[in-house]
Amino acid sequence: MAATAFLVHMSGPEFYNTLRRPSLARFGILSGLGFGAVASISAYIMSVGFLTFGGACRGMILNNYSTLDGGATLCRLLMGVSLLGSYAFLGQAMKKAYYHIFHRGQEVSDKMHIRTTRGFVGVLTGLALLVEDAGFVVSVTGAVLGSALIYITPSYLFLRSTKRRTDNGSLEWTNMLKLERWLNRVLIVLGVFLGLSGAYMSVLNSFFRHLL
């Protein structure tokens, strides 16, 4: 859960552009305070839930509490507010990525913008209504996206960047560079393996626990 708290990183450019007097130093302070606070809160809530219920913890820890518990009811309400508020950040990042991949260089009309927004919100809301185990979503997301962010994406960007710079002559081929590129390929393979393994174990733990 602490790792999931960092997945809003794709909205980083938006935060930087809307920052008053934007600079790398101010953005660094904002990122440190924001991500640090969210990670600390997530780790605290996760620890309190586990220390309370132990191995009986449900995927959504609030489901362990009685519906008559006033504090848990308040937390459920705040969770709903948090989910609704996060739609805007995640939806904006998803739309920008979608336009960049499938409509690069094209003008995005208001009609396309509205249609895309409705599509993304509809799909996400539909999945949220169908999937009951929030723990399964968190574990799969952490396994797949965590591996992609830690191992696959940085290595892929390094390989593309070094190839482009060596092709235009701004970077010289050396034995050390060849070794680094080889190690980055190994990291990509490792990331794919860890991501698939984590997703596989999440599926087993959620739907086929008798096989474990």
Side-chain angles (χ1 to χ4, degrees):
M1 287 187 66
T4 304
F6 291 93
L7 295 183
V8 75
H9 72 283
M10 75 282 289
S11 297
E14 287 291 326
F15 296 150
Y16 178 83
N17 292 331
T18 56
L19 185 66
R20 181 181 300 176
R21 301 191 307 277
S23 66
L24 292 180
R26 287 173 58 82
F27 182 66
I29 295 174
L30 172 68
S31 300
L33 292 176
F35 284 115
V38 172
S40 299
I41 293 172
S42 299
Y44 171 74
I45 297 299
M46 178 177 60
S47 301
V48 170
F50 182 77
L51 291 175
T52 302
F53 299 104
C57 288
R58 304 282 297 275
M60 172 62 71
I61 192 64
L62 292 176
N63 292 337
N64 282 89
Y65 291 88
S66 169
T67 56
L68 301 179
D69 189 306
T73 300
L74 176 61
C75 288
R76 292 186 182 97
L77 175 61
L78 296 176
M79 176 69 75
V81 173
S82 175
L83 291 174
L84 289 175
S86 64
Y87 261 83
F89 294 108
L90 298 177
Q92 181 72 4
M94 288 176 63
K95 285 188 294 185
K96 283 194 170 183
Y98 172 78
Y99 295 146
H100 181 73
I101 295 173
F102 297 103
H103 300 280
R104 179 181 296 183
Q106 302 179 19
E107 182 178 355
V108 179
S109 63
D110 291 339
K111 182 178 180 180
M112 179 186 296
H113 182 72
I114 294 174
R115 186 169 61 245
T116 304
T117 301
R118 289 176 177 173
F120 279 140
V121 172
V123 170
L124 292 176
T125 304
L127 290 174
L129 293 173
L130 292 174
V131 179
E132 297 180 359
D133 187 1
F136 171 71
V137 177
V138 171
S139 60
V140 171
T141 302
V144 176
L145 295 185
S147 297
L149 293 174
I150 296 172
Y151 300 103
I152 300 174
T153 302
S155 300
Y156 175 75
L157 292 176
F158 176 81
L159 292 174
R160 290 294 301 272
S161 174
T162 52
K163 184 178 187 307
R164 176 176 53 82
R165 286 184 291 162
T166 52
D167 288 344
N168 62 27
S170 61
L171 181 65
E172 182 181 356
W173 277 106
T174 62
N175 291 331
M176 181 59 68
L177 178 60
K178 293 178 181 178
L179 176 62
E180 286 185 274
R181 286 176 58 85
W182 183 83
L183 291 175
N184 275 270
R185 292 189 181 96
V186 173
L187 286 177
I188 291 176
V189 175
L190 176 62
V192 172
F193 171 75
L194 292 177
L196 293 177
S197 299
Y200 174 73
M201 290 304 301
S202 298
V203 171
L204 285 183
N205 187 59
S206 298
F207 302 105
F208 306 98
R209 186 167 293 184
H210 63 280
L211 298 177
L212 296 176

